[in-house]
Amino acid sequence: MRASAARREAAARLRGAGVASPERDADLLLAHVLGVGLGRLPLVDDLSGQEQEQYAALLARRAAREPLQHLTGTAAFRHVELAVGPGVFVPRPETELLAGWAVESALALGRAAVVVDLCTGSGAIARAIADEVPDADVHAVELDEGALAWAERNLAGTGVDLRHGDLATAFDDLAGTVDVVVCNPPYIPLEAWESVAAEARDHDPHLALFSGQDGLDAIRVLEQRAALLLRPGGVVGAEHADVQGESAPGVFAASGRWLDVADHHDLAGRARYLTARLAR
């Protein structure tokens, strides 16, 4: 079968299944089967029978809304590649902006920064910071044991201090010494269950998705923990849902402990993450 025809048929199938990016996913799966980069796909002429079978099997799973990254086993995040699969939240491109803020905040200190990544999941943010700010003292924590196993794999050899624990009680030993706290917490309201994409709802750990009736339970805990961990003048950044552009920063503003509380948009113009500075 011609590779070009297989790609067209695959994209049409994924489009019919409601996949958000059918053409790209079809190409990424074929590149995975062939072991080539996307740029080489136009150079591929025919697929062997075995390649067609492998491709068809992966397409069937993707059409059933299994996450693309579970099928390829990897997720790109900023300048690193992460191992992902069942049992861990698949890092999203939008979160790269929050990670970038953490990187810039650490670099701006002009010295070795102490950084804490709460709710690390796959270890994506901690890994990016360790990669881009090699002299930073990076710490990360994850509560879910399944996700922790993936974080251990992704952070092995990076020097990141990875611990098993709850964001509400983690890192007592670092209290008052941290420069940057960063967190991608659960933030989906329980009542929004039906609106969550099938890939996340059916495959991501619910501990990483849902956070009380209004979606802000974890952010409330984060506000308290960040205030304990940060040195005076230290900064915190946290992702939130696009409908929480006022309510999530409001949690920080209402406590009276924070200065420069601000919200930031993603590349699509949607409210995406908040930042704040601990008052001196």
Side-chain angles (χ1 to χ4, degrees), residues 14-235:
L14 296 183
R15 188 178 305 108
V19 171
S21 52
E23 289 83 6
R24 181 168 177 79
D25 284 16
D27 284 355
L28 285 169
L29 287 175
L30 183 56
H32 176 68
V33 167
L34 299 176
V36 302
L38 285 176
R40 293 192 61 81
L41 284 183
L43 305 178
V44 178
D45 292 325
D46 296 316
L47 302 182
S48 69
Q50 183 179 18
E51 289 167 345
Q52 291 180 52
E53 290 180 7
Q54 293 175 345
Y55 193 34
L58 290 175
L59 287 170
R61 293 169 63 186
R62 186 68 187 102
R65 306 299 291 275
E66 189 170 343
L68 173 72
Q69 295 85 353
H70 285 195
L71 304 180
T72 62
T74 62
F77 190 82
R78 289 183 66 86
H79 306 296
V80 300
E81 188 172 84
L82 304 164
V84 295
V88 70
F89 180 83
V90 175
R92 309 296 197 254
E94 295 88 345
T95 307
E96 294 184 18
L97 297 174
L98 174 62
W101 167 85
V103 165
E104 292 170 2
S105 297
L107 290 172
L109 290 171
R111 57 171 173 78
V114 179
V115 183
V116 165
D117 176 19
L118 300 172
C119 306
T120 195
S122 66
I125 295 177
R127 174 74 181 274
I129 296 169
D131 176 67
E132 298 178 54
V133 195
D135 65 343
D137 181 16
V138 184
H139 306 261
V141 67
E142 174 56 42
L143 178 60
D144 184 85
E145 291 186 359
L148 182 69
W150 288 102
E152 288 173 342
R153 180 174 174 180
N154 287 316
L155 296 176
T158 64
V160 173
D161 167 30
L162 174 64
R163 306 186 194 182
H164 181 207
D166 191 327
L167 78 92
T169 56
F171 301 117
D172 278 345
D173 55 312
L174 298 178
T177 68
V178 178
D179 298 299
V180 181
V181 170
V182 62
C183 183
N184 183 12
Y187 50 70
I188 300 174
L190 290 172
E191 63 184 20
W193 166 269
E194 293 297 335
S195 67
V196 179
E199 288 87 346
R201 185 185 64 233
D202 299 339
H203 296 279
D204 283 337
H206 289 178
L207 185 65
L209 298 177
F210 301 100
S211 187
Q213 292 302 313
D214 62 359
L216 295 173
D217 281 3
I219 288 178
R220 294 186 182 97
V221 174
L222 169 65
E223 186 275 324
Q224 297 176 24
R225 199 62 186 172
L228 175 75
L229 293 176
L230 288 169
R231 61 171 176 77
V235 292

